[in-house]
Every structure is written in structure tokens, then in C-alpha cells.
Amino acid sequence: MAPPLPAHEALQQLALSCAACRRCGLAEGRQQVVVSRGNPAARLMLIGEGPGAQEDLAGLPFVGRSGQLLDQLLAAAGLDSQSEAYVCNVVKCRPPDNRKPTAVEMAACRPWLEQQIALVDPLVIGLVGATALEAVLGIRGGITRLRGQWRAGDQDNLNLGGLQGRWLMPLLHPSYLLRNPSQAEGSPRWHTVRDLAELRRRLLDPSLG
Ligand code: SF4
């Protein structure tokens, strides 16, 4: 039997497999399959909902206005989005009119996300927005209440496998922050920079509680 591929080669293979994927109806309207950007060796993974129009054209996640804001907020928290994070989405193809992906579409794309998590092997996962929280942990609603709270990955998690030993945190989606631009103390942006700094704190010292 051939030995398993190194993780970076396996991720390249995964990207090729995703590019040919037609497991769900989102394949019909896509320009490109959007798999990831950033560093595959990063210990931080950020998972968003799905590609928008600009991501669909560029073939990269979080490159539109939301992505630019995400990069700025990461930088404000001391994190570089290209070298210190691996960024991906729950679904790899753009839902029409930027609607939320359906449960069927999220389930169809789940094996790709599970493979990404297994190959990147992140210590910390940021769940960017309510759809990522729902898809990964099965929690519907409550993102503004749950943001910033650590969740220990559970081997019995029914929505997504391979989370044991990892730390997960729900985060507000940058598209929400674009609609709420205040940076005043206590604002959603203010909280998000602190949440991202808390991600960094655990990355720097995983023994911290
Ligand atoms: S969204 Fe995921 S499952 Fe659906 S066609 Fe694209 S890659 Fe395949």
C-alpha cells in the first residue's frame, strides 16, 4: 500500500477534488470552487459560511469587503491572515444571491471540511458567523450571546468529526461588523478584536485555561 501523502500534498489533492465536485446543486452556478487561503501549516483555522460574488470570481475565501475587514481585525489583534491562519468556508461553492446554504448543501460539503480540519490539524478554530456555528457545532442562533466563548472540541460532536483536542470560538461575521461600524468600547467590532486576541492568546500558550 502506498504511504499517505504529506499534508500539504494531500491539501493540493483535496483542492483538485473539490474543483471537480458536483455533490450538490451549488455546482451549477459557480464560477470557481473556493477552497482556502492562508497558511496550511497554521495552528489557527477560520471557517466562514460560503463564497460571495468576489470570492467566486477570485477563487479565494474572504477577499471582498468582509475579508478585508477580517484581515484588519486580525492585524489589530496581532495576527497575520496569510501566515498565521488558514481560512476556508462551510460550503465551497457560491450560493445564489448570497443566500445561506441549505442543510442539504452543508451536509454535502461536510466531508471536504472534515478533510481540511484533519490535514491542517489546527489547535484553534474560529467559527466566523452564525452559519459556521450551526454547521460545525449544530447550534442555531445566539451568535451575539455566544461569541467569544470557548468550546472544547468533542469527539461525539454529531455535526462534524475530528474536533477532539481542538478549541473552538464563535465569532461575529465581518459582514455584520460592516453594518455596525462603531469602534466604541462595547461595540461588536470592539468585542471582535478582543475575541481574536483571545484566540491568539491560546495559540501562544495552549496550556492557558
Ligand atoms: S458546495 Fe461543496 S458539495 Fe456542493 S458542489 Fe461545491 S464543493 Fe461540492
Side-chain angles (χ1 to χ4, degrees), residues 52-77:
Q54 285 168 284
E55 288 78 14
D56 184 49
L57 286 174
L60 294 167
F62 281 102
V63 293
R65 284 183 68 219
S66 289
Q68 288 165 15
L69 178 57
L70 179 66
D71 287 358
Q72 288 169 18
L73 296 172
L74 285 165

Side-chain angles (χ1 to χ4, degrees), residues 147-148 171-172 184-196:
R147 55 131 282 276
L171 299 163
L172 297 176
E185 186 172 334
S187 67
R189 270 196 202 200
W190 183 87
H191 280 301
T192 300
V193 172
R194 273 145 193 79
D195 294 346
L196 294 171

Side-chain angles (χ1 to χ4, degrees), residues 18 21-27 30 33 91-93 105 108-109 112:
C18 287
C21 177
R22 305 195 74 82
R23 277 186 203 151
C24 82
L26 295 182
R30 71 188 180 207
V33 177
V91 294
K92 315 300 182 214
C93 303
E105 291 158 354
C109 217
W112 297 132

Side-chain angles (χ1 to χ4, degrees), residues 68-89:
Q68 288 165 15
L69 178 57
L70 179 66
D71 287 358
Q72 288 169 18
L73 296 172
L74 285 165
L79 288 162
D80 179 74
S81 69
Q82 280 303 110
S83 63
E84 295 182 284
Y86 177 91
V87 183
C88 61
N89 282 314

Side-chain angles (χ1 to χ4, degrees), residues 122-145:
L123 172 69
V124 170
I125 299 176
L127 302 172
V128 186
T131 301
L133 176 62
E134 179 182 336
V136 174
L137 294 179
I139 300 171
R140 293 182 129 207
I143 185 83
T144 52
R145 180 172 44 85

Side-chain angles (χ1 to χ4, degrees), residues 7 11-12 19-20 33 38 42 51 76 78 82 105 142 181 194 198 202 204:
L11 281 162
Q12 288 171 355
V33 177
Q82 280 303 110
E105 291 158 354
R194 273 145 193 79
E198 173 63 15
R202 191 177 287 279
L204 292 174

